[in-house]
Amino acid sequence: MSQVVNVLPVNLPAIEASELSTDNLFELEDHSVALIDYESQYTELSKVKYINHIARFLKRYGTGRN
């Protein structure tokens, strides 16, 4: 098990001035969701962008899609 090496602040910023959009958002027949975002270049920061897309989707539509 990894040991704690630093205590980080918990006051993380929550307000952003930009609106994220994705290329396509589909509801599938089994009520799952496919989020499609095309990238000209994939970077490690893309993962953060995708997590933000998912979080905003869950805020808007909730977790109970059935």
Side-chain angles (χ1 to χ4, degrees), residues 21-57:
S21 62
T22 188
D23 294 325
N24 293 297
L25 184 61
F26 303 104
E27 181 177 5
L28 307 179
E29 64 184 352
D30 66 354
H31 302 289
S32 63
V33 175
L35 187 152
I36 310 297
D37 196 58
Y38 302 100
E39 296 289 345
S40 58
Q41 183 177 8
Y42 179 79
T43 65
E44 286 295 311
L45 287 177
S46 297
K47 294 176 185 178
V48 174
K49 182 173 111 173
Y50 303 146
I51 290 169
N52 282 323
H53 285 317
I54 293 166
R56 289 178 185 216
F57 171 84

